[in-house]
Amino acid sequence: MSHAVEYREVAKADAPKLVPFFEAFYGQWFGEPVTSNSVQRRIDQARGIETFVVAEREGKLLGFASLRLVPSLDLTPYAELSDLFVAGLYRRQGVGRGLLGFIEQRARERGADRLILTTGLKNVEAQWFYRAVGFEDHALAMKKSIGVSKAGNPREIRAPQRSVLWRRVDATGTESFLLSRDDTGWHLEGNVVALLDREPAHIRYRVACDPSWRARSAQISQDRAGVQREVHITVREDGRWWVEGEEDARLRPCTDVDLEISPSTNTIPIRRLNLALGQDSEVIAAWVRFPALTVEPLPQRYTRTGANQYRYASRDFVTNLEVDDLGLVTRYEGGWSREAVADPGSSTLK
């Protein structure tokens, strides 16, 4: 039996299989719940403008890419690689190169003489990949949000709430963190520099919660000893959790994301539960371990012991937390200490 990867243009039957891929890649930016119908509708809307292709092996989708042909005042049009995504389990197996090769072939058939793309300034792994397959740095891409929400109102720009600098007190490590919000909910973004198993590591993450502080997605990137890895987590409206495009049924009872490497995610259950003084509650978090980047359910208990104090317990681990008015940790007993904080409009650190 052949195990070769097939590259082809998308078919209608692919829509249900693409749901976890769209959730992992687009996340909250999709603008609506990711369902088979919404995926098919987006593909239909783009037909004639975008050429959407998939990589498949033995009936299982491994990744997707999208090509856009752009008319130009030049003699020939150019092609744009608008999207490229490979599920984590299938990366570094040639799938991305295969998708790109298929896209290039389609672009040449349509008369394009060059292929361009944009990628995130901080997405170093993607930049290395594209350079390795022949792309060159060409220009600086810029953008300006002029979008309108589904309600017809100008889209709310993400508003910073507070930035924090934490320092590890039990080991070597620091974190620069930003809490912000917009019309979709709350956003936690951090950059952690630490030693993991005695090797220097840089972790970048983004966690999104809805307005009631229920976790919706998480994107984590880790650069350790020259090896870059990522994990993408999405939570559907029905409470099902997907990790790297695959549903993880173990996580269905979870309500929160907890990053082992950061004190920031303690804020999620603290804000969501809004416990009264003396009250406690048990939660189950999707616990992301480092440096393995595995995800597992972790029972936890929070007890509010003071106006800004909580006891945190999980398995045989117990510690005390002190938080500020936004629920951000100021002191994590035996773990982290807040070194500086700045609020919007403030020009100095506190």
Side-chain angles (χ1 to χ4, degrees):
M1 180 181 294
S2 173
H3 297 285
V5 178
E6 177 189 2
Y7 302 94
R8 58 174 175 79
E9 294 192 19
V10 70
K12 190 168 186 177
D14 294 322
K17 300 178 184 178
L18 284 167
V19 168
F21 289 84
F22 275 43
E23 287 181 326
F25 185 71
Y26 298 110
Q28 60 175 317
W29 305 114
F30 194 70
E32 62 179 313
V34 184
T35 65
S36 297
N37 289 337
S38 63
V39 168
Q40 187 61 55
R41 185 172 63 254
R42 295 293 182 91
I43 293 173
D44 290 342
Q45 289 172 348
R47 202 175 302 278
I49 302 172
E50 302 263 358
T51 299
F52 198 85
V53 304
V54 296
E56 181 182 43
R57 183 168 57 205
E58 297 184 305
K60 187 177 185 64
L61 296 189
L62 314 180
F64 70 85
S66 184
L67 169 72
R68 180 182 301 140
L69 195 66
V70 183
S72 171
L73 293 177
D74 295 341
L75 186 61
T76 55
Y78 66 89
E80 179 182 354
L81 177 69
S82 49
D83 293 314
L84 175 65
F85 178 75
V86 177
L89 292 175
Y90 310 110
R91 292 175 187 169
R92 295 182 174 85
Q93 298 179 28
V95 178
R97 288 175 180 264
L99 280 166
L100 191 54
F102 190 83
I103 285 287
E104 290 179 3
Q105 178 182 339
R106 284 290 187 269
R108 284 192 293 268
E109 291 171 354
R110 288 160 171 76
D113 64 352
R114 59 199 184 279
L115 180 63
I116 67 169
L117 62 86
T118 58
T119 189
L121 289 172
K122 297 181 181 179
N123 195 350
V124 177
E125 184 176 15
Q127 294 170 27
W128 286 349
F129 167 74
Y130 290 126
R131 292 188 185 107
V133 295
F135 284 86
E136 299 176 346
D137 295 351
H138 173 65
L140 174 65
M142 304 180 74
K143 68 176 181 179
K144 178 181 179 181
S145 178
I146 57 172
V148 175
S149 69
K150 288 185 291 185
N153 299 317
R155 181 173 296 164
E156 181 180 346
I157 303 300
R158 189 178 298 180
Q161 302 295 302
R162 184 162 294 166
S163 59
V164 173
L165 178 67
W166 284 300
R167 177 181 60 85
R168 287 286 295 266
V169 298
D170 61 332
T172 301
T174 59
E175 175 174 353
S176 173
F177 169 82
L178 175 66
L179 174 68
S180 60
R181 69 174 304 176
D182 60 17
D183 52 355
T184 68
W186 298 90
H187 305 272
L188 298 82
E189 302 176 65
N191 281 270
V192 181
V193 178
L195 287 177
L196 297 179
D197 292 346
R198 300 184 179 181
E199 293 184 325
H202 179 201
I203 297 96
R204 298 175 297 277
Y205 68 84
R206 291 186 295 172
V207 178
C209 300
D210 68 16
S212 62
W213 285 93
R214 292 185 68 89
R216 305 307 307 160
S217 66
Q219 301 176 36
I220 302 108
S221 173
Q222 174 183 275
D223 186 343
R224 172 172 169 261
V227 177
Q228 292 195 335
R229 298 182 58 198
E230 293 183 354
V231 63
H232 299 79
I233 302 170
T234 56
V235 189
R236 292 192 183 179
E237 294 294 330
D238 59 7
R240 292 190 293 167
W241 290 68
W242 294 74
V243 180
E244 289 301 309
E246 299 283 345
E247 183 181 3
D248 191 334
R250 301 174 307 151
L251 304 179
R252 283 201 179 186
C254 298
T255 52
D256 310 306
V257 171
D258 186 13
L259 305 183
E260 182 184 28
I261 198 68
S262 172
S264 69
T265 44
N266 293 100
T267 298
I268 298 174
I270 286 175
R271 292 294 301 270
R272 182 177 56 78
L273 294 170
N274 193 26
L275 298 173
L277 187 62
Q279 187 180 10
D280 67 352
S281 182
E282 184 170 296
V283 302
I284 301 179
W287 192 31
V288 183
R289 306 296 308 273
F290 293 83
L293 291 187
T294 55
V295 187
E296 62 187 71
L298 180 68
Q300 303 173 332
R301 180 170 292 277
Y302 285 84
T303 304
R304 190 167 189 175
T305 58
N308 295 302
Q309 298 172 326
Y310 292 82
R311 180 182 300 112
Y312 167 79
S314 180
R315 296 175 179 167
D316 58 352
F317 177 78
V318 179
T319 192
N320 294 302
L321 310 176
E322 296 179 7
V323 301
D324 61 17
D325 58 307
L326 291 179
L328 296 171
V329 168
T330 59
R331 178 175 174 270
Y332 188 116
E333 186 178 69
W336 294 86
S337 174
R338 189 168 79 178
E339 298 295 294
V341 59
D343 290 338
S346 172
S347 60
T348 58
L349 292 176
K350 301 176 183 177

